[in-house]
Amino acid sequence: MPGAAAAARSILTQLHEVMAARSNAQAKLNRVVDIIGESLDSEVCSIYLLREGMLELYATRGLEQGAVHVTRLGIGEGLTGTIAANTETLNLDEAATHPEFQYRPETGEEKFHSFAGVPIVRRERAIGVLTVQHVEPRRYEDVELEALQTVAMVLAELIHNAGLVDGEDLGQRSGAQSGQQVLQGLGLVKGLGVGKAVFHQPRVTIEQTVAEDTEAERQRVYLAFDKMREQIDTMTGQAEFGMGGEHEEVIETYKMFAYDEGWSRRINEAIDSGLTAEAAIERVQQRTRQRMREISDPLLADRMHDLEDLSNRLLRIVSGQLGTAASMGLQGDTVLIAKNLGPAELLEYDKRRLKGVVLEEGSLTAHVVIVARAMGVPVIGRLRNLRGLVREGDEVMVDGDSATVTLRPAQGVLDAFETRVGRKKQQLAEYAKLRDVEPFTRDGERIEVMINAGLRDDVAMLAMTGADGIGLYRTEFQFLVSAQLPQRERQTRLYRDVLEAAGDKRVIFRTVDIGGDKSLPYLSSETSKGDENPAMGWRALRLALEREGLLKVQARALLEGAAGRELNVMFPMVSEPWEFDAAKEVFKGQLDFLRKQRKKLPSAIRYGVMLEVPSLAETLDLLLPRVSFISIGTNDLTQFLFAADRANPALAERYDWLSPAILRFLKRVLVNCAGSPVDIGVCGEMGGRRLEALALIGLGIRRLSITPAAVGPIKELVRKIDTREIALAMNGWLASPPPSMRATLQEWAAERGIDVE
Ligand code: PEP
Ligand code: MG
């Protein structure tokens, strides 16, 4: 047997001629089985193609001709069906010993003992199967299988061009890729969405598999390798990757693969066999995928992802198909599929068409997740091997509420989902009616309902929801979505635009809360500072006070942006009152400077703090005389009170916001603030949930800053509450907590017809 490359090349040269000939498709396939059979010295060679969901014997050399277009097998049925179902190769010296073996008398195959078959794959779906059989029982050699696989790749092109198989969208998916599949991930952003799967980095479509000029193809691959290595080296040189830790590990692995001689040699060999550069890269990747499938080692699986990425990168370079899906524009309702995404990359997508994001990685505090939440797009993460399970164009249902992703949902499931989406929309329309209704409780208490924001576009939500203002403007978003530290002018412009758009509604700007888990690539060497517990590390004001330049710039930008208007500024992660003083001093310095410059100043400045570090609650008597307002950040407060990392999914459900510990703590803060003119509110996620909001109002909170989507539901809730009644009940529960505060509150609300779900 000659080498695999030579065997394949001899077949490919002949196939090339067949493909170029003017005969009809059936005649071509008849010729193809002869060529393969002769070249591999095989008594039988058959091609099965997918028609109406069944694998139909389309051409054969060696089996009964009467079986052609008669023998049909379902996906998963018999050896041929198994190959298609699993898109994998079978190599058996005794076919009948395989558990899936099925005998079809019309083929006359009983005399053939050995059997090998490879899937014919297009766009990662089996569209047919190529088999060879021998009378004598023998296993096929690796070189023979290699040649078969290469030929199958070329056949895929021929078959597709001849329109011989079911249309791309028919149910011809194989095995793991067929039918409905429900995946459980980590819920990162709540919400419902359904759309067609679009890969952030689309897979390259290979249009031509057989090379016209092997040397030219070799040159193309050389050039592509050079370019890819250059890209990887540039990445290594960038600050983002130069900081050690996880990034560095990833990039080192990339580098190792990019310079791997074995990889480039295998691609070259595939080119020797007569394939184009694109087909050769894909062929090698197919082979690697298959090898990896046989080794079930999670570490290797991770490396496989890296290699897939790199292989795809190489393919995109060589084919010139470079853009991400964003650059090509979304065609309809879309669920975006990616390993991971940067926040800026997400922002490039058309928000109206983006119905969900599903990631292989991702965590609650990932920047992209923060941005997606602001965009109102549901996100589910931590779905390993996602890109192996879903196909471009698959229908995908994203349920951020239950953290499930349903691939290719059955019609009934889809209908039920659409009903839920419809109900949600209807509910939203109901809430929209409350837009201009002021949220007064039944007993006439006005509850201030504000929104949390961070992106320029968020301001539009003020008008849409009828919220009272922006109770938390997370200024770090601008930093997170920028490739470098935003210049002062850019900051000023943003703050001015936000205030302008907000009109006479109040906006509370929080100075940057970066560092720790929200580290910035361009500040990474400083912000990581080797923190083992980033949430409790060098972040937010702690960082800003040390990096005074950063805070000074932001102070100037805020003061200038608010010229002629009231400026509300709030500092995050204040743990002791002196930190507030120090931050305010920075603002004062900038204010003096502007005054000297005779610049227009804000009409008033109100300074406030986030109360999210428990220690601050112990010094309220010292703090209150200094500040105008306090905003309780229950997200961080909860993690610090319970010593439970808010980003750790294993702890996500463990502690309840409605626990006596939290509620008593909040009550004590409110009692300690009583009588002071300081305005106190809550801006954590807790306030956006109805049951929790009911509890907060019961404690005495009168200002909530919440995610925009929650404004309607909370306004509706407010109008059903009698604050005296809930306060009385709450006092009783705080004094003597029931076994489950949540259940008790739910019961209490239900008795009064208050919907808290
Ligand atoms: C909080 O901690 O509750 C808060 C609102 O701030 P962030 O979620 O941005 O930390
Ligand atoms: Mg916080």
Side-chain angles (χ1 to χ4, degrees):
M1 183 80 212
R9 182 154 58 191
S10 137
I11 302 173
L12 256 48
T13 312
Q14 297 177 66
L15 286 189
H16 196 41
E17 284 160 19
V18 175
M19 285 158 86
R22 296 177 68 93
S23 51
N24 67 28
Q26 180 68 53
K28 283 181 182 173
L29 287 182
N30 292 344
R31 188 70 200 107
V32 168
V33 287
D34 277 341
I35 292 172
I36 300 171
E38 275 161 25
S39 305
L40 295 184
D41 197 17
S42 172
E43 285 148 357
V44 176
C45 175
S46 312
I47 293 174
Y48 295 80
L49 297 184
L50 200 66
R51 295 275 281 177
E52 291 156 1
M54 298 287 280
L55 290 161
E56 183 174 315
L57 179 62
Y58 237 85
T60 185
R61 153 194 155 112
L63 296 184
E64 291 297 335
Q65 288 304 315
V68 172
H69 299 303
V70 172
T71 297
R72 301 179 91 219
L73 295 147
I75 300 285
E77 195 185 353
L79 298 179
T80 306
T82 302
I83 291 168
N86 304 333
T87 43
E88 66 186 19
T89 299
L90 277 186
N91 182 10
L92 307 164
D93 46 9
E94 193 54 76
T97 58
H98 192 281
E100 298 301 331
F101 175 78
Q102 271 191 21
Y103 170 56
R104 289 296 168 98
E106 72 274 11
T107 59
E109 64 185 336
E110 64 276 13
K111 53 183 178 287
F112 303 105
H113 291 269
S114 57
F115 173 98
V118 297
I120 302 170
V121 179
R122 185 166 165 87
R123 299 217 167 134
E124 295 173 64
R125 292 187 172 114
I127 56 168
V129 174
L130 171 65
T131 63
V132 288
Q133 290 170 273
H134 262 89
V135 170
E136 78 199 73
R138 71 168 183 98
R139 276 177 89 78
Y140 289 84
E141 290 173 32
D142 283 351
V143 285
E144 292 172 302
L145 292 177
E146 283 274 320
L148 273 181
Q149 284 160 346
T150 304
V151 169
M153 197 162 176
V154 176
L155 273 180
E157 183 191 340
L158 184 151
I159 291 160
H160 171 75
N161 290 344
L164 284 174
V165 287
D166 293 342
E168 296 283 329
D169 290 326
L170 294 181
Q172 79 279 40
R173 288 139 187 164
S174 59
Q177 288 83 46
S178 68
Q180 177 174 304
Q181 199 171 3
V182 181
L183 311 172
Q184 184 73 41
L186 177 68
L188 299 175
V189 179
K190 287 192 184 298
L192 305 174
V194 63
K196 298 262 188 253
V198 168
F199 282 77
H200 171 57
Q201 302 220 302
R203 293 199 183 274
V204 171
T205 315
I206 300 172
E207 297 304 344
Q208 199 189 337
T209 50
V210 181
E212 302 276 345
D213 177 349
T214 296
E215 272 322 300
E217 297 303 318
R218 205 187 305 285
Q219 277 310 314
R220 291 178 63 219
V221 163
Y222 277 145
L223 289 176
F225 257 105
D226 279 351
K227 190 152 182 190
M228 183 189 67
R229 287 169 180 165
E230 213 175 280
Q231 285 179 357
I232 303 290
D233 290 344
T234 314
M235 268 200 223
T236 323
Q238 274 170 5
E240 185 174 354
F241 295 106
M243 63 177 201
E246 209 179 354
H247 280 323
E248 192 165 297
E249 241 172 67
V250 171
I251 207 69
E252 277 308 316
T253 315
Y254 264 52
K255 230 176 147 171
M256 193 181 82
F257 282 133
Y259 283 92
D260 178 17
E261 287 305 322
W263 185 32
S264 50
R265 194 191 59 241
R266 285 191 290 279
I267 293 176
N268 251 311
E269 284 168 3
I271 288 180
D272 280 342
S273 70
L275 294 175
T276 57
E278 287 88 344
I281 296 167
E282 179 55 24
R283 175 73 202 94
V284 170
Q285 197 52 23
Q286 274 181 2
R287 206 186 308 156
T288 316
R289 253 179 238 138
Q290 195 182 334
R291 294 242 163 90
M292 289 291 184
R293 231 192 279 170
E294 289 154 16
I295 315 167
S296 59
D297 177 336
L299 268 178
L300 274 178
D302 272 352
R303 294 291 81 89
M304 182 62 203
H305 280 151
D306 295 342
L307 189 55
E308 285 271 1
D309 266 7
L310 217 52
S311 180
N312 211 21
R313 180 183 288 264
L314 192 63
L315 260 181
R316 286 191 289 132
I317 294 173
V318 91
S319 64
Q321 298 174 32
L322 289 171
T324 66
S327 63
M328 286 174 245
L330 302 179
Q331 300 310 318
D333 286 357
T334 298
V335 171
L336 195 64
I337 310 288
K339 182 176 182 186
N340 217 336
L341 275 177
E345 285 177 313
L346 181 65
L347 285 168
E348 278 171 17
Y349 285 94
D350 180 348
K351 201 161 123 179
R352 289 161 309 170
R353 295 198 160 146
L354 198 59
K355 300 297 169 194
V357 175
V358 190
L359 303 172
E360 290 193 346
E361 299 177 351
S363 72
L364 280 165
T365 48
H367 306 161
V368 64
V369 171
I370 296 174
V371 172
R373 195 171 296 133
M375 286 167 80
V377 178
V379 183
I380 295 176
R382 304 259 175 94
L383 285 162
R384 287 171 58 89
N385 191 29
L386 170 71
R387 288 171 301 167
L389 300 170
V390 65
R391 298 287 170 261
E392 190 98 29
D394 274 353
E395 190 89 37
V396 180
M397 235 167 65
V398 179
D399 184 343
D401 300 349
S402 65
T404 53
V405 176
T406 310
L407 308 178
R408 304 172 291 274
Q411 196 52 48
V413 175
L414 200 56
D415 291 346
F417 191 78
E418 301 276 14
T419 311
R420 270 178 70 200
V421 174
R423 216 180 302 134
K424 261 208 162 164
K425 270 196 191 139
Q426 213 176 355
Q427 219 169 32
L428 286 180
E430 286 296 315
Y431 295 141
K433 286 189 201 148
L434 293 175
R435 201 187 58 182
D436 301 320
V437 175
E438 280 197 60
F440 279 101
T441 61
R442 274 183 26 226
D443 54 326
E445 286 269 349
R446 174 71 160 87
I447 307 292
E448 228 182 323
V449 181
M450 303 176 90
I451 57 166
N452 293 343
L455 297 171
R456 185 185 293 264
D457 291 353
D458 289 348
V459 189
M461 297 307 289
L462 267 184
M464 282 169 73
T465 58
D468 290 310
I470 299 179
L472 166 64
Y473 192 93
R474 291 178 163 109
T475 60
E476 65 271 13
F477 276 23
Q478 188 186 26
F479 289 63
L480 292 176
V481 300
S482 303
Q484 60 214 7
L485 208 64
Q487 300 288 309
R488 179 163 55 81
E489 290 72 19
R490 271 187 58 209
Q491 295 184 41
T492 310
R493 214 176 312 132
L494 174 69
Y495 305 147
R496 186 180 301 133
D497 289 354
V498 168
L499 285 169
E500 225 153 70
D504 53 9
K505 292 187 175 177
R506 179 183 297 172
V507 179
I508 299 178
F509 289 101
R510 177 176 76 182
T511 58
V512 284
D513 183 357
I514 46 173
D517 60 339
K518 281 195 253 175
S519 77
L520 303 175
Y522 46 85
L523 279 181
S524 55
S525 55
E526 293 164 75
T527 53
S528 62
K529 263 202 166 179
D531 276 347
E532 280 192 15
N533 291 308
M536 295 198 279
W538 197 59
R539 63 176 268 213
L541 194 62
R542 299 167 180 183
L543 176 152
L545 285 176
E546 270 182 61
R547 283 274 314 226
E548 215 183 83
L550 190 136
L551 189 59
K552 270 187 185 161
V553 167
Q554 189 172 32
R556 261 282 281 292
L558 281 166
L559 291 165
E560 291 195 273
R565 293 193 169 88
E566 179 183 272
L567 172 65
N568 289 275
V569 59
M570 164 164 89
F571 305 116
M573 287 284 288
V574 174
S575 313
E576 296 202 306
W578 70 264
E579 289 169 319
F580 169 79
D581 294 340
K584 189 174 166 185
E585 243 354 271
V586 175
F587 273 71
K588 283 246 165 94
Q590 294 304 307
L591 193 64
D592 286 346
F593 174 82
L594 291 172
R595 199 173 280 126
K596 279 192 202 120
Q597 299 279 311
R598 299 185 179 285
K599 290 269 172 74
K600 191 169 179 184
L601 304 176
S603 56
I605 307 176
R606 295 171 79 240
Y607 294 98
V609 292
M610 295 272 300
L611 196 162
E612 50 187 346
V613 181
S615 60
L616 196 64
E618 300 301 327
T619 48
L620 276 177
D621 54 329
L622 308 177
L623 183 76
L624 288 174
R626 296 160 145 101
V627 298
S628 298
F629 61 92
I630 291 177
S631 199
I632 304 177
T634 48
N635 303 342
D636 276 315
L637 183 65
T638 312
Q639 76 166 341
F640 297 137
L641 267 184
F642 283 119
D645 187 348
R646 74 193 242 193
N648 187 334
L651 298 176
E653 309 269 303
R654 193 176 181 103
Y655 302 107
D656 194 346
W657 274 320
L658 295 177
S659 73
I662 302 270
L663 298 177
R664 280 181 174 171
F665 184 94
L666 295 176
K667 184 71 192 175
R668 204 154 53 83
V669 169
L670 287 165
V671 167
N672 288 343
C673 290
S676 122
V678 169
D679 155 23
I680 185 156
V682 166
C683 67
E685 300 298 313
M686 181 180 175
R689 301 184 179 213
R690 304 231 274 198
L691 193 63
E692 281 80 350
L694 174 64
L696 290 171
I697 291 170
L699 290 172
I701 291 290
R702 295 292 178 263
R703 174 163 59 84
L704 296 170
S705 189
I706 57 184
T707 184
V711 171
I714 295 297
K715 273 190 174 187
E716 192 198 56
L717 170 92
V718 164
R719 286 152 52 81
K720 299 213 168 114
I721 298 177
D722 183 313
T723 59
R724 292 161 308 187
E725 200 183 4
I726 181 68
L728 200 67
M730 185 55 83
N731 281 339
W733 297 325
L734 288 181
S736 146
S740 163
M741 194 70 102
R742 181 168 290 277
T744 306
L745 253 170
Q746 269 162 342
E747 222 170 276
W748 186 91
E751 280 165 12
R752 283 154 188 81
I754 304 175
D755 179 8
V756 285
E757 292 312 318

